[in-house]
Amino acid sequence: QGFAYVAQSWILRRVLARAAALYVCAACYLSLTPAIAHDILGRNPGIYGELLSAIGIGSLLSAAVLSTAKKRGITDNSLLVVCSSVDAVALLLLAIADEPILASAALLLAGGATLIQLATLNAAAQLLLPEAIRGRGLSIYMAATFGCMAVGSLLWGVMSEALSIQVSLVAAALGFAFAAAAGRYAPITITGSISGVPA
């Protein structure tokens, strides 16, 4: 029943596609942060701690940003488009960073923008699923997204070894830019009936 519902709901399929793209692209900087600290920024364990702290601080700040955006009536799709664009810029900055301050600033932006997208897409998935099959629908959503995180981590690891960390970051930035463009032409609008058909 869960698969049948996802198959017939175009808006839920769109949410799944956006979430899958987010998890694949976000896996790039999350999985490569240790390599960035070790290979680019100087093999100092303290640098790795600074980078992780930057991601965490960005995530904390994103809660305030998300709350403010909701109070001002900014739509979910607009948030997703803006945050995908911010993630793209952040990964490009990370790709050219050769010292910890710039890398930390880039990861702060990436961590905040990613968490806002995660919160928005998770809420969208829950709102779009009828109560009778919400558990089954969310299990599909979680399996798809965390599966994409695992696949993305493997993909970026292989790419960074075969090419370079910088190339992987630029490729992920392009993925985020594509997601932002897709959001302009295939928006996620959570209005109308629970089946995903807008009013």
Side-chain angles (χ1 to χ4, degrees):
Q1 287 179 326
F3 281 112
Y5 185 83
V6 171
Q8 64 86 32
S9 175
W10 63 266
I11 188 65
L12 190 55
R13 293 198 306 272
R14 193 172 289 179
V15 169
L16 274 172
R18 292 286 292 276
L22 170 64
Y23 274 77
V24 168
C25 293
C28 183
Y29 73 85
L30 293 172
S31 62
L32 293 182
T33 297
I36 293 169
H38 183 274
D39 298 344
I40 297 175
L41 300 178
R43 302 188 178 188
N44 185 342
I47 292 176
Y48 180 50
E50 290 175 18
L51 299 182
L52 286 183
S53 296
I55 296 173
I57 292 170
S59 299
L60 289 173
L61 293 176
S62 70
V65 173
L66 183 57
S67 177
T68 301
K70 291 294 185 181
K71 289 177 181 177
R72 293 186 177 181
I74 298 175
T75 66
D76 287 344
N77 194 69
S78 296
L79 276 174
L80 293 172
V81 169
V82 169
C83 288
S84 290
S85 301
V86 170
D87 265 324
V89 172
L91 292 195
L92 289 176
L93 289 175
L94 189 59
I96 64 171
D98 57 2
E99 49 92 22
I101 293 178
L102 181 57
S104 295
L107 286 172
L108 187 148
L109 288 173
T114 297
L115 192 68
I116 289 174
Q117 292 178 84
L118 291 178
T120 301
L121 290 167
N122 289 348
Q126 294 184 55
L127 289 171
L128 289 168
L129 287 163
E131 186 176 351
I133 61 164
R134 187 165 293 149
R136 281 165 283 184
L138 287 177
S139 69
I140 295 170
Y141 175 85
M142 298 301 289
T145 52
F146 281 100
C148 287
M149 175 72 79
V151 170
S153 297
L154 177 62
L155 168 69
W156 302 121
V158 170
M159 183 180 292
S160 65
E161 187 173 3
L163 301 173
S164 70
I165 293 172
Q166 289 84 353
V167 169
S168 297
L169 291 169
V170 170
L174 292 175
F176 274 122
F178 179 79
R184 303 277 297 183
Y185 297 101
I188 293 172
T189 306
I190 310 172
T191 57
S193 71
I194 195 67
S195 66
V197 180

